[in-house]
Amino acid sequence: MGEVDPAYFQQPEHRPKLEIVQAQGIPLIDLSELTSNDPSQQPSETLVEEIRNACRDWGFFQVVNHGVPLETRQRIMAASKEFFAQPLDEKRKVRRDEKRVLGYYDTEHTKNVRDWKEVFDLTVEDPTFVTASYHPDDQEVDEWHNQWPDFPPHLRGACEEYARAVEKLAFKLMELIALSLGLRADRFEDFFKDQTSFVRLNHYPPCPVPHLALGVGRHKDAGALTVLAQDDVGGLEVKRKSDGQWVWASPTPDAYIINVWSNEAYESVEHRVMVNSERERFSIPFFFNPSHYTVVEPLEELVSNESPAKYKAYNWGKFLLTRKASNFKKLDVENIQISHFRVPELADALEGALKLN
Ligand code: OGA
Ligand code: NI
Protein backbone atom coordinates (compact mmCIF):
# COMPACT_ATOMS: atom_id res chain seq x y z
CA MET A 1 0.00 0.00 0.00
CA GLY A 2 2.96 2.27 0.56
CA GLU A 3 3.32 5.44 2.52
CA VAL A 4 0.53 7.98 2.49
CA ASP A 5 1.65 11.53 1.79
CA PRO A 6 1.19 13.54 5.01
CA ALA A 7 -0.18 16.39 2.85
CA TYR A 8 -3.48 14.50 3.22
CA PHE A 9 -3.49 14.49 7.01
CA GLN A 10 -5.97 16.70 8.77
CA GLN A 11 -5.01 18.48 11.98
CA PRO A 12 -6.13 16.34 14.94
CA GLU A 13 -9.15 18.55 15.71
CA HIS A 14 -10.46 18.17 12.15
CA ARG A 15 -10.06 14.40 11.84
CA PRO A 16 -13.30 12.52 11.37
CA LYS A 17 -14.78 10.28 14.00
CA LEU A 18 -15.31 6.90 12.45
CA GLU A 19 -18.38 6.16 14.48
CA ILE A 20 -21.15 7.84 12.61
CA VAL A 21 -23.69 10.22 14.12
CA GLN A 22 -26.87 9.50 12.16
CA ALA A 23 -28.36 12.78 11.08
CA GLN A 24 -31.58 13.24 12.92
CA GLY A 25 -33.79 15.03 10.55
CA ILE A 26 -31.94 16.60 7.59
CA PRO A 27 -35.29 17.64 6.11
CA LEU A 28 -36.65 15.64 3.19
CA ILE A 29 -38.90 17.71 0.96
CA ASP A 30 -41.25 16.30 -1.64
CA LEU A 31 -41.47 18.51 -4.73
CA SER A 32 -44.13 16.49 -6.51
CA GLU A 33 -46.62 19.34 -6.49
CA LEU A 34 -44.22 21.32 -8.72
CA THR A 35 -43.70 18.53 -11.19
CA SER A 36 -47.27 17.31 -11.38
CA ASN A 37 -49.26 20.56 -11.23
CA ASP A 38 -49.80 23.15 -13.87
CA PRO A 39 -46.52 25.17 -13.92
CA SER A 40 -48.36 28.51 -13.83
CA GLN A 41 -49.72 27.61 -10.41
CA GLN A 42 -47.98 29.08 -7.35
CA PRO A 43 -46.35 26.63 -4.96
CA SER A 44 -48.42 25.92 -1.87
CA GLU A 45 -47.75 27.81 1.34
CA THR A 46 -47.02 24.45 3.00
CA LEU A 47 -44.15 23.78 0.61
CA VAL A 48 -42.78 27.31 0.95
CA GLU A 49 -42.90 26.95 4.73
CA GLU A 50 -41.00 23.66 4.57
CA ILE A 51 -38.30 25.32 2.48
CA ARG A 52 -38.13 28.29 4.84
CA ASN A 53 -37.72 26.08 7.90
CA ALA A 54 -35.15 23.85 6.24
CA CYS A 55 -33.05 26.80 5.04
CA ARG A 56 -33.21 28.54 8.38
CA ASP A 57 -32.68 25.57 10.66
CA TRP A 58 -30.33 23.41 8.59
CA GLY A 59 -29.06 25.16 5.45
CA PHE A 60 -29.26 21.66 3.96
CA PHE A 61 -32.19 19.58 2.80
CA GLN A 62 -32.97 16.72 0.44
CA VAL A 63 -35.54 16.76 -2.32
CA VAL A 64 -37.47 13.91 -3.90
CA ASN A 65 -39.86 13.95 -6.87
CA HIS A 66 -37.69 16.76 -8.19
CA GLY A 67 -38.28 16.27 -11.91
CA VAL A 68 -34.72 15.26 -12.89
CA PRO A 69 -35.12 12.00 -14.81
CA LEU A 70 -33.45 9.04 -13.11
CA GLU A 71 -31.92 7.86 -16.43
CA THR A 72 -30.18 11.23 -16.82
CA ARG A 73 -28.56 10.76 -13.45
CA GLN A 74 -27.67 7.15 -14.12
CA ARG A 75 -26.05 8.05 -17.44
CA ILE A 76 -23.76 10.69 -15.97
CA MET A 77 -22.85 8.49 -12.99
CA ALA A 78 -21.93 5.63 -15.32
CA ALA A 79 -19.89 7.87 -17.63
CA SER A 80 -18.10 9.41 -14.64
CA LYS A 81 -17.15 5.96 -13.40
CA GLU A 82 -15.76 5.02 -16.80
CA PHE A 83 -13.76 8.21 -17.03
CA PHE A 84 -12.14 7.85 -13.60
CA ALA A 85 -11.40 4.15 -14.10
CA GLN A 86 -8.80 5.07 -16.73
CA PRO A 87 -5.07 5.28 -16.01
CA LEU A 88 -3.85 8.61 -14.66
CA ASP A 89 -2.01 9.44 -17.90
CA GLU A 90 -5.26 9.31 -19.84
CA LYS A 91 -7.10 11.51 -17.38
CA ARG A 92 -4.26 14.00 -17.34
CA LYS A 93 -4.78 14.64 -21.04
CA VAL A 94 -7.69 16.85 -20.00
CA ARG A 95 -5.95 18.21 -16.98
CA ARG A 96 -6.90 21.60 -15.69
CA ASP A 97 -4.21 24.26 -15.48
CA GLU A 98 -3.94 28.00 -14.98
CA LYS A 99 -5.16 28.67 -18.53
CA ARG A 100 -7.76 25.95 -18.90
CA VAL A 101 -9.49 25.95 -15.57
CA LEU A 102 -11.93 23.15 -16.41
CA GLY A 103 -11.24 19.45 -16.71
CA TYR A 104 -9.47 16.85 -14.61
CA TYR A 105 -7.71 17.59 -11.37
CA ASP A 106 -6.39 15.42 -8.54
CA THR A 107 -4.51 17.75 -6.25
CA GLU A 108 -7.16 19.99 -4.78
CA HIS A 109 -6.51 21.32 -1.29
CA THR A 110 -9.17 22.54 1.09
CA LYS A 111 -7.77 24.82 3.75
CA ASN A 112 -4.29 23.72 2.71
CA VAL A 113 -4.82 20.04 3.34
CA ARG A 114 -4.96 17.79 0.32
CA ASP A 115 -8.35 16.21 -0.46
CA TRP A 116 -8.55 12.45 -1.00
CA LYS A 117 -10.32 12.72 -4.34
CA GLU A 118 -10.06 13.42 -8.03
CA VAL A 119 -12.46 15.68 -9.94
CA PHE A 120 -13.60 16.63 -13.40
CA ASP A 121 -15.13 20.10 -13.78
CA LEU A 122 -17.31 21.44 -16.57
CA THR A 123 -19.32 24.61 -16.90
CA VAL A 124 -23.02 24.64 -17.67
CA GLU A 125 -22.60 27.40 -20.28
CA ASP A 126 -19.88 26.89 -22.85
CA PRO A 127 -18.25 29.35 -23.06
CA THR A 128 -18.72 30.84 -19.63
CA PHE A 129 -17.84 34.51 -19.35
CA VAL A 130 -15.72 35.46 -16.40
CA THR A 131 -13.63 38.32 -15.13
CA ALA A 132 -10.10 38.11 -16.50
CA SER A 133 -8.27 39.62 -13.56
CA TYR A 134 -8.76 39.84 -9.84
CA HIS A 135 -7.79 43.44 -9.90
CA PRO A 136 -10.87 45.44 -8.86
CA ASP A 137 -10.42 48.05 -11.62
CA ASP A 138 -9.77 45.63 -14.44
CA GLN A 139 -12.95 45.11 -16.51
CA GLU A 140 -11.52 42.64 -19.02
CA VAL A 141 -13.60 39.52 -19.64
CA ASP A 142 -12.32 36.00 -20.32
CA GLU A 143 -14.01 32.89 -21.69
CA TRP A 144 -13.85 29.49 -20.08
CA HIS A 145 -14.26 26.50 -22.36
CA ASN A 146 -14.92 22.91 -21.40
CA GLN A 147 -12.34 20.24 -22.15
CA TRP A 148 -13.74 16.86 -23.16
CA PRO A 149 -11.81 13.62 -23.07
CA ASP A 150 -11.89 11.15 -25.99
CA PHE A 151 -13.00 8.48 -23.57
CA PRO A 152 -15.70 7.72 -22.71
CA PRO A 153 -17.15 9.29 -25.85
CA HIS A 154 -20.59 9.70 -24.30
CA LEU A 155 -19.30 11.67 -21.29
CA ARG A 156 -19.95 14.98 -22.97
CA GLY A 157 -23.56 14.21 -23.94
CA ALA A 158 -24.28 12.76 -20.50
CA CYS A 159 -22.88 15.85 -18.77
CA GLU A 160 -24.69 18.31 -21.01
CA GLU A 161 -28.01 16.55 -20.58
CA TYR A 162 -27.53 16.38 -16.84
CA ALA A 163 -26.55 20.04 -16.55
CA ARG A 164 -29.72 21.17 -18.34
CA ALA A 165 -31.96 18.95 -16.22
CA VAL A 166 -30.45 20.01 -12.90
CA GLU A 167 -30.43 23.64 -13.96
CA LYS A 168 -34.23 23.47 -14.21
CA LEU A 169 -34.41 22.12 -10.70
CA ALA A 170 -32.04 24.84 -9.48
CA PHE A 171 -34.27 27.56 -10.97
CA LYS A 172 -37.32 26.02 -9.29
CA LEU A 173 -35.52 25.95 -5.97
CA MET A 174 -34.50 29.60 -6.34
CA GLU A 175 -38.17 30.45 -6.83
CA LEU A 176 -39.12 28.59 -3.70
CA ILE A 177 -36.34 30.31 -1.78
CA ALA A 178 -37.46 33.73 -3.03
CA LEU A 179 -41.02 32.99 -1.91
CA SER A 180 -39.75 31.77 1.44
CA LEU A 181 -38.11 35.19 1.94
CA GLY A 182 -41.33 36.98 1.08
CA LEU A 183 -40.03 38.01 -2.35
CA ARG A 184 -41.50 37.55 -5.80
CA ALA A 185 -40.83 34.10 -7.21
CA ASP A 186 -38.73 35.46 -10.09
CA ARG A 187 -36.69 37.85 -7.93
CA PHE A 188 -33.40 35.99 -8.49
CA GLU A 189 -33.86 34.99 -12.11
CA ASP A 190 -31.82 37.81 -13.65
CA PHE A 191 -28.72 36.99 -11.66
CA PHE A 192 -28.34 33.79 -13.63
CA LYS A 193 -28.63 35.17 -17.18
CA ASP A 194 -24.92 34.67 -17.77
CA GLN A 195 -24.48 32.09 -15.09
CA THR A 196 -21.05 30.81 -14.06
CA SER A 197 -22.49 27.54 -12.77
CA PHE A 198 -20.41 24.41 -12.96
CA VAL A 199 -20.79 20.69 -12.49
CA ARG A 200 -18.12 18.65 -10.76
CA LEU A 201 -17.67 14.91 -11.05
CA ASN A 202 -16.13 13.76 -7.77
CA HIS A 203 -14.40 10.42 -7.31
CA TYR A 204 -13.25 9.39 -3.85
CA PRO A 205 -11.06 6.28 -4.10
CA PRO A 206 -10.83 3.93 -1.12
CA CYS A 207 -8.46 5.43 1.42
CA PRO A 208 -6.09 3.48 3.70
CA VAL A 209 -6.22 6.23 6.35
CA PRO A 210 -9.87 7.32 6.65
CA HIS A 211 -9.23 8.41 10.24
CA LEU A 212 -6.60 10.94 9.11
CA ALA A 213 -7.73 12.18 5.70
CA LEU A 214 -10.94 13.61 4.27
CA GLY A 215 -12.40 13.41 0.77
CA VAL A 216 -13.08 17.11 1.08
CA GLY A 217 -12.06 19.06 4.14
CA ARG A 218 -14.58 21.21 5.95
CA HIS A 219 -15.80 24.08 3.79
CA LYS A 220 -18.82 26.07 2.70
CA ASP A 221 -19.85 26.16 -0.93
CA ALA A 222 -19.64 29.63 -2.37
CA GLY A 223 -22.44 29.85 -4.93
CA ALA A 224 -26.11 30.52 -4.55
CA LEU A 225 -27.12 26.91 -4.27
CA THR A 226 -25.59 23.45 -4.65
CA VAL A 227 -27.58 20.49 -5.95
CA LEU A 228 -25.69 17.33 -5.05
CA ALA A 229 -26.18 13.78 -6.30
CA GLN A 230 -24.40 11.15 -4.23
CA ASP A 231 -24.23 7.41 -4.74
CA ASP A 232 -25.20 4.89 -2.06
CA VAL A 233 -21.83 4.78 -0.25
CA GLY A 234 -22.27 7.83 1.96
CA GLY A 235 -19.58 10.08 3.40
CA LEU A 236 -21.05 13.55 3.39
CA GLU A 237 -21.22 15.13 6.82
CA VAL A 238 -22.98 18.35 7.66
CA LYS A 239 -22.26 20.54 10.66
CA ARG A 240 -25.57 20.74 12.44
CA LYS A 241 -26.49 24.33 13.21
CA SER A 242 -28.21 23.60 16.49
CA ASP A 243 -25.18 22.08 18.26
CA GLY A 244 -22.17 22.16 15.91
CA GLN A 245 -22.11 18.36 15.73
CA TRP A 246 -20.94 16.69 12.48
CA VAL A 247 -23.83 14.56 11.27
CA TRP A 248 -23.97 12.03 8.49
CA ALA A 249 -26.14 12.84 5.47
CA SER A 250 -27.46 9.36 4.66
CA PRO A 251 -27.88 8.68 0.98
CA THR A 252 -31.52 8.55 -0.11
CA PRO A 253 -31.96 6.84 -3.49
CA ASP A 254 -32.55 9.33 -6.32
CA ALA A 255 -32.76 12.30 -3.95
CA TYR A 256 -30.72 15.48 -4.36
CA ILE A 257 -29.09 17.19 -1.43
CA ILE A 258 -29.54 20.93 -1.53
CA ASN A 259 -27.06 23.20 0.15
CA VAL A 260 -28.40 26.71 0.30
CA TRP A 261 -26.54 29.95 -0.27
CA SER A 262 -23.28 30.89 1.21
CA ASN A 263 -23.96 34.28 2.64
CA GLU A 264 -27.02 36.45 2.50
CA ALA A 265 -30.35 35.52 3.96
CA TYR A 266 -29.72 31.93 4.86
CA GLU A 267 -26.33 31.12 6.11
CA SER A 268 -24.56 28.32 4.34
CA VAL A 269 -23.41 25.45 6.42
CA GLU A 270 -20.04 23.77 6.74
CA HIS A 271 -19.76 20.28 5.41
CA ARG A 272 -17.04 17.74 4.66
CA VAL A 273 -16.66 14.33 3.11
CA MET A 274 -15.42 11.23 4.88
CA VAL A 275 -13.73 8.46 2.95
CA ASN A 276 -13.48 4.79 3.77
CA SER A 277 -11.01 2.01 3.17
CA GLU A 278 -13.36 -0.30 1.30
CA ARG A 279 -15.55 1.39 -1.24
CA GLU A 280 -14.90 4.11 -3.76
CA ARG A 281 -17.55 6.81 -3.87
CA PHE A 282 -18.92 9.06 -6.60
CA SER A 283 -20.82 12.31 -6.23
CA ILE A 284 -21.85 15.13 -8.54
CA PRO A 285 -22.43 18.62 -7.23
CA PHE A 286 -24.02 21.24 -9.47
CA PHE A 287 -22.89 24.66 -8.23
CA PHE A 288 -25.51 27.20 -9.27
CA ASN A 289 -23.64 30.48 -9.61
CA PRO A 290 -24.66 33.94 -10.80
CA SER A 291 -23.12 35.93 -13.67
CA HIS A 292 -19.60 37.20 -13.06
CA TYR A 293 -20.70 40.84 -12.97
CA THR A 294 -23.10 40.25 -10.11
CA VAL A 295 -22.37 42.36 -7.11
CA VAL A 296 -23.21 40.21 -4.16
CA GLU A 297 -24.76 42.34 -1.48
CA PRO A 298 -27.90 42.31 0.59
CA LEU A 299 -31.16 42.91 -1.26
CA GLU A 300 -32.45 46.28 -0.21
CA GLU A 301 -35.88 44.91 0.62
CA LEU A 302 -34.33 42.60 3.19
CA VAL A 303 -32.10 45.08 4.95
CA SER A 304 -33.38 47.23 7.77
CA ASN A 305 -32.12 48.76 10.99
CA GLU A 306 -33.19 45.64 12.81
CA SER A 307 -31.49 43.35 10.33
CA PRO A 308 -28.51 45.13 8.84
CA ALA A 309 -26.21 43.77 6.12
CA LYS A 310 -24.02 40.96 7.23
CA TYR A 311 -21.47 40.96 4.42
CA LYS A 312 -19.61 43.58 2.45
CA ALA A 313 -20.56 43.87 -1.19
CA TYR A 314 -18.22 42.03 -3.53
CA ASN A 315 -17.95 41.15 -7.17
CA TRP A 316 -18.84 37.51 -7.79
CA GLY A 317 -16.49 37.11 -10.78
CA LYS A 318 -13.43 38.33 -8.87
CA PHE A 319 -14.27 36.04 -5.99
CA LEU A 320 -14.70 33.03 -8.27
CA LEU A 321 -11.45 33.71 -10.08
CA THR A 322 -9.51 34.10 -6.86
CA ARG A 323 -10.89 30.86 -5.58
CA LYS A 324 -10.11 28.95 -8.75
CA ALA A 325 -6.55 30.27 -8.84
CA SER A 326 -5.94 29.48 -5.20
CA ASN A 327 -6.81 25.88 -5.98
CA PHE A 328 -3.78 25.39 -8.16
CA LYS A 329 -1.29 25.29 -5.40
CA LYS A 330 -1.01 25.03 -1.74
CA LEU A 331 -1.04 28.64 -0.66
CA ASP A 332 0.43 30.04 2.50
CA VAL A 333 -2.87 31.66 3.31
CA GLU A 334 -6.15 29.91 3.78
CA ASN A 335 -8.12 29.66 0.54
CA ILE A 336 -10.38 32.62 0.03
CA GLN A 337 -13.65 32.11 1.86
CA ILE A 338 -16.90 34.00 1.88
CA SER A 339 -16.20 34.73 5.53
CA HIS A 340 -13.38 37.04 4.44
CA PHE A 341 -16.10 39.39 3.28
CA ARG A 342 -18.00 39.30 6.49
CA VAL A 343 -18.75 42.46 8.34
CA PRO A 344 -17.64 41.25 11.75
CA GLU A 345 -19.50 43.74 13.88
CA LEU A 346 -22.73 42.75 12.18
CA ALA A 347 -22.17 39.06 12.36
CA ASP A 348 -25.35 38.31 14.23
CA ALA A 349 -27.66 40.00 11.80
CA LEU A 350 -29.55 37.61 9.62
CA GLU A 351 -31.18 39.02 6.52
CA GLY A 352 -29.75 39.83 3.10
CA ALA A 353 -29.58 38.24 -0.30
CA LEU A 354 -28.12 38.70 -3.75
CA LYS A 355 -28.60 41.97 -5.48
CA LEU A 356 -27.93 42.64 -9.13
CA ASN A 357 -25.75 45.66 -9.75
C1 OGA B 1 -18.13 19.62 -2.77
C2 OGA B 1 -18.79 18.77 -1.76
C3 OGA B 1 -19.86 16.68 -1.22
C4 OGA B 1 -19.86 15.26 -1.63
O1 OGA B 1 -17.64 19.06 -3.78
O2 OGA B 1 -18.12 20.85 -2.55
O3 OGA B 1 -19.11 19.25 -0.71
O4 OGA B 1 -20.67 14.53 -1.04
N1 OGA B 1 -19.05 17.48 -2.07
O5 OGA B 1 -19.10 14.86 -2.50
NI1 NI C 1 -19.19 21.40 -0.84
Side-chain angles (χ1 to χ4, degrees):
M1 199 169 290
E3 291 274 297
V4 175
D5 182 349
Y8 287 109
F9 298 172
Q10 298 286 328
Q11 290 298 318
E13 67 273 29
H14 297 308
R15 290 180 190 163
K17 287 202 195 66
L18 294 185
E19 65 282 10
I20 290 162
V21 178
Q22 283 294 342
Q24 271 311 308
I26 287 190
L28 185 71
I29 300 181
D30 185 339
L31 297 181
S32 51
E33 73 168 76
L34 297 187
T35 38
S36 52
N37 289 358
D38 164 8
S40 63
Q41 218 176 316
Q42 283 275 323
S44 70
E45 186 45 46
T46 319
L47 176 57
V48 172
E49 181 72 28
E50 275 184 83
I51 297 280
R52 183 183 302 122
N53 293 342
C55 292
R56 192 192 52 218
D57 301 340
W58 280 89
F60 262 88
F61 56 92
Q62 304 197 62
V63 292
V64 289
N65 299 318
H66 40 64
V68 179
L70 180 58
E71 310 78 66
T72 303
R73 174 173 174 155
Q74 287 168 337
R75 260 197 287 276
I76 192 173
M77 276 287 184
S80 166
K81 210 168 186 162
E82 283 179 87
F83 172 74
F84 287 119
Q86 297 178 99
L88 197 53
D89 284 353
E90 285 303 312
K91 294 182 275 196
R92 286 196 168 151
K93 288 182 182 162
V94 286
R95 194 183 187 152
R96 175 177 133 178
D97 59 32
E98 258 132 305
K99 286 239 150 46
R100 292 165 307 173
V101 300
L102 301 158
Y104 176 75
Y105 198 60
D106 67 350
T107 52
E108 187 157 76
H109 292 75
T110 303
K111 297 193 168 59
N112 287 332
V113 181
R114 189 163 171 191
D115 292 334
W116 192 273
K117 70 170 183 195
E118 49 182 350
V119 308
F120 180 86
D121 283 348
L122 59 124
T123 52
V124 171
E125 300 296 343
D126 192 4
T128 287
F129 298 100
V130 287
T131 326
S133 133
Y134 348 111
H135 199 274
D137 304 325
D138 198 334
Q139 300 303 318
E140 212 187 316
V141 170
D142 227 354
E143 289 181 10
W144 286 353
H145 291 269
N146 285 330
Q147 297 196 70
W148 297 107
D150 293 336
F151 185 87
H154 45 273
L155 181 74
R156 179 178 185 159
C159 288
E160 289 175 348
E161 178 191 330
Y162 183 81
R164 291 273 90 91
V166 176
E167 178 189 32
K168 273 197 209 130
L169 171 59
F171 272 111
K172 272 188 224 153
L173 289 163
M174 291 307 293
E175 287 187 15
L176 289 170
I177 289 168
L179 292 170
S180 81
L181 292 166
L183 304 169
R184 275 198 2 236
D186 65 357
R187 182 64 176 88
F188 297 120
E189 214 176 284
D190 284 351
F191 298 108
F192 299 93
K193 277 217 167 90
D194 297 304
Q195 58 178 304
T196 55
S197 305
F198 67 99
V199 173
R200 168 167 287 180
L201 309 179
N202 278 317
H203 175 222
Y204 305 96
C207 173
V209 289
H211 55 299
L212 297 175
L214 287 168
V216 189
R218 81 206 141 86
H219 68 285
K220 295 178 178 182
D221 294 347
L225 189 88
T226 306
V227 181
L228 175 85
Q230 61 167 336
D231 67 11
D232 64 344
V233 174
L236 175 64
E237 288 191 303
V238 173
K239 197 166 183 177
R240 185 160 56 198
K241 270 184 159 179
S242 58
D243 59 2
Q245 172 93 250
W246 286 105
V247 295
W248 182 257
S250 286
T252 302
D254 193 32
Y256 287 89
I257 296 186
I258 313 301
N259 174 5
V260 185
W261 302 90
S262 35
N263 48 333
E264 308 113 21
Y266 297 133
E267 203 167 4
S268 102
V269 165
E270 258 191 333
H271 53 285
R272 66 183 187 187
V273 176
M274 279 171 62
V275 280
N276 71 82
S277 54
E278 267 109 59
R279 289 184 71 190
E280 62 178 345
R281 174 172 182 263
F282 296 87
S283 75
I284 309 176
F286 175 112
F287 299 103
F288 196 43
N289 293 337
S291 49
H292 75 85
Y293 47 78
T294 303
V295 173
V296 181
E297 62 181 330
L299 285 178
E300 58 213 359
E301 57 267 47
L302 294 179
V303 176
S304 65
N305 285 343
E306 294 75 52
S307 74
K310 197 174 174 187
Y311 295 87
K312 286 181 262 190
Y314 65 93
N315 173 287
W316 169 255
K318 309 259 178 220
F319 175 82
L320 183 67
L321 189 69
T322 311
R323 238 200 183 190
K324 277 269 178 207
S326 71
N327 282 335
F328 285 107
K329 45 189 174 298
K330 189 168 167 168
L331 298 181
D332 292 336
V333 294
E334 208 179 72
N335 291 357
I336 186 165
Q337 297 291 333
I338 286 282
S339 56
H340 294 167
F341 297 96
R342 245 180 125 100
V343 182
E345 63 274 25
L346 299 177
D348 292 337
L350 196 65
E351 304 302 328
L354 275 174
K355 179 179 176 186
L356 193 59
N357 192 21

